PDB file of all heavy atoms in Angstrom:
ATOM      1  N   GLY A 262       4.911 -21.213 -72.516  1.00 90.00           N
ATOM      2  CA  GLY A 262       6.231 -21.842 -72.761  1.00 90.00           C
ATOM      3  C   GLY A 262       6.983 -21.283 -74.019  1.00 90.00           C
ATOM      4  O   GLY A 262       8.149 -21.151 -73.970  1.00 90.00           O
ATOM      5  N   VAL A 263       6.143 -20.972 -74.991  1.00 92.00           N
ATOM      6  CA  VAL A 263       6.733 -20.543 -76.309  1.00 92.00           C
ATOM      7  C   VAL A 263       7.248 -19.026 -76.105  1.00 92.00           C
ATOM      8  O   VAL A 263       8.416 -18.706 -76.504  1.00 92.00           O
ATOM      9  CB  VAL A 263       5.718 -20.616 -77.422  1.00 92.00           C
ATOM     10  CG1 VAL A 263       6.302 -19.942 -78.652  1.00 92.00           C
ATOM     11  CG2 VAL A 263       5.534 -22.129 -77.740  1.00 92.00           C
ATOM     12  N   LEU A 264       6.352 -18.244 -75.549  1.00 89.00           N
ATOM     13  CA  LEU A 264       6.791 -16.830 -75.398  1.00 89.00           C
ATOM     14  C   LEU A 264       7.868 -16.574 -74.427  1.00 89.00           C
ATOM     15  O   LEU A 264       8.579 -15.551 -74.506  1.00 89.00           O
ATOM     16  CB  LEU A 264       5.538 -16.020 -74.984  1.00 89.00           C
ATOM     17  CG  LEU A 264       4.368 -15.933 -76.145  1.00 89.00           C
ATOM     18  CD1 LEU A 264       3.178 -15.012 -75.639  1.00 89.00           C
ATOM     19  CD2 LEU A 264       4.905 -15.350 -77.392  1.00 89.00           C
ATOM     20  N   ALA A 265       7.944 -17.475 -73.414  1.00 87.00           N
ATOM     21  CA  ALA A 265       9.008 -17.285 -72.431  1.00 87.00           C
ATOM     22  C   ALA A 265      10.394 -17.613 -72.871  1.00 87.00           C
ATOM     23  O   ALA A 265      11.314 -17.447 -72.101  1.00 87.00           O
ATOM     24  CB  ALA A 265       8.651 -18.085 -71.146  1.00 87.00           C
ATOM     25  N   CYS A 266      10.538 -18.178 -73.993  1.00 87.00           N
ATOM     26  CA  CYS A 266      11.839 -18.601 -74.596  1.00 87.00           C
ATOM     27  C   CYS A 266      12.657 -17.305 -74.717  1.00 87.00           C
ATOM     28  O   CYS A 266      12.324 -16.369 -75.449  1.00 87.00           O
ATOM     29  CB  CYS A 266      11.661 -19.243 -75.983  1.00 87.00           C
ATOM     30  SG  CYS A 266      13.275 -19.611 -76.728  1.00 87.00           S
ATOM     31  N   PRO A 267      13.865 -17.226 -74.108  1.00 85.00           N
ATOM     32  CA  PRO A 267      14.713 -15.998 -74.267  1.00 85.00           C
ATOM     33  C   PRO A 267      15.002 -15.744 -75.767  1.00 85.00           C
ATOM     34  O   PRO A 267      15.288 -16.731 -76.510  1.00 85.00           O
ATOM     35  CB  PRO A 267      15.937 -16.390 -73.560  1.00 85.00           C
ATOM     36  CG  PRO A 267      15.500 -17.452 -72.529  1.00 85.00           C
ATOM     37  CD  PRO A 267      14.498 -18.248 -73.306  1.00 85.00           C
ATOM     38  N   VAL A 268      15.119 -14.497 -76.068  1.00 82.00           N
ATOM     39  CA  VAL A 268      15.186 -14.125 -77.487  1.00 82.00           C
ATOM     40  C   VAL A 268      16.587 -14.624 -77.979  1.00 82.00           C
ATOM     41  O   VAL A 268      16.614 -15.042 -79.174  1.00 82.00           O
ATOM     42  CB  VAL A 268      15.130 -12.544 -77.644  1.00 82.00           C
ATOM     43  CG1 VAL A 268      15.446 -12.107 -79.049  1.00 82.00           C
ATOM     44  CG2 VAL A 268      13.864 -12.035 -77.192  1.00 82.00           C
ATOM     45  N   ASP A 269      17.642 -14.497 -77.175  1.00 81.00           N
ATOM     46  CA  ASP A 269      18.945 -15.001 -77.707  1.00 81.00           C
ATOM     47  C   ASP A 269      19.208 -16.534 -77.573  1.00 81.00           C
ATOM     48  O   ASP A 269      20.260 -16.994 -77.677  1.00 81.00           O
ATOM     49  CB  ASP A 269      20.028 -14.198 -77.053  1.00 81.00           C
ATOM     50  CG  ASP A 269      19.980 -14.321 -75.519  1.00 81.00           C
ATOM     51  OD1 ASP A 269      18.879 -14.731 -74.994  1.00 81.00           O
ATOM     52  OD2 ASP A 269      20.876 -13.789 -74.857  1.00 81.00           O
ATOM     53  N   ARG A 270      18.156 -17.233 -77.207  1.00 84.00           N
ATOM     54  CA  ARG A 270      18.250 -18.654 -77.130  1.00 84.00           C
ATOM     55  C   ARG A 270      17.193 -19.398 -77.920  1.00 84.00           C
ATOM     56  O   ARG A 270      16.793 -20.562 -77.597  1.00 84.00           O
ATOM     57  CB  ARG A 270      18.241 -19.117 -75.636  1.00 84.00           C
ATOM     58  CG  ARG A 270      19.440 -18.982 -74.866  1.00 84.00           C
ATOM     59  CD  ARG A 270      19.438 -19.810 -73.648  1.00 84.00           C
ATOM     60  NE  ARG A 270      20.749 -19.763 -72.972  1.00 84.00           N
ATOM     61  CZ  ARG A 270      21.685 -20.541 -73.114  1.00 84.00           C
ATOM     62  NH1 ARG A 270      21.585 -21.602 -73.977  1.00 84.00           N
ATOM     63  NH2 ARG A 270      22.887 -20.478 -72.449  1.00 84.00           N
ATOM     64  N   ARG A 271      16.695 -18.706 -78.946  1.00 86.00           N
ATOM     65  CA  ARG A 271      15.793 -19.296 -79.835  1.00 86.00           C
ATOM     66  C   ARG A 271      16.298 -20.532 -80.446  1.00 86.00           C
ATOM     67  O   ARG A 271      17.586 -20.578 -80.772  1.00 86.00           O
ATOM     68  CB  ARG A 271      15.236 -18.308 -80.878  1.00 86.00           C
ATOM     69  CG  ARG A 271      14.358 -17.198 -80.347  1.00 86.00           C
ATOM     70  CD  ARG A 271      14.075 -16.117 -81.341  1.00 86.00           C
ATOM     71  NE  ARG A 271      13.127 -15.180 -80.779  1.00 86.00           N
ATOM     72  CZ  ARG A 271      12.748 -14.038 -81.411  1.00 86.00           C
ATOM     73  NH1 ARG A 271      13.305 -13.677 -82.638  1.00 86.00           N
ATOM     74  NH2 ARG A 271      11.918 -13.192 -80.774  1.00 86.00           N
ATOM     75  N   PRO A 272      15.577 -21.555 -80.764  1.00 88.00           N
ATOM     76  CA  PRO A 272      16.160 -22.790 -81.274  1.00 88.00           C
ATOM     77  C   PRO A 272      16.856 -22.649 -82.620  1.00 88.00           C
ATOM     78  O   PRO A 272      16.382 -21.928 -83.486  1.00 88.00           O
ATOM     79  CB  PRO A 272      14.991 -23.732 -81.413  1.00 88.00           C
ATOM     80  CG  PRO A 272      13.722 -22.836 -81.517  1.00 88.00           C
ATOM     81  CD  PRO A 272      14.135 -21.623 -80.691  1.00 88.00           C
ATOM     82  N   GLY A 273      17.934 -23.268 -82.754  1.00 86.00           N
ATOM     83  CA  GLY A 273      18.758 -23.316 -83.932  1.00 86.00           C
ATOM     84  C   GLY A 273      18.134 -24.337 -84.992  1.00 86.00           C
ATOM     85  O   GLY A 273      17.154 -24.973 -84.710  1.00 86.00           O
TER      86      GLY A 273
END
Side-chain angles (χ1 to χ4, degrees):
V263 172
L264 293 182
C266 176
V268 177
D269 53 348
R270 280 193 176 272
R271 288 174 177 173

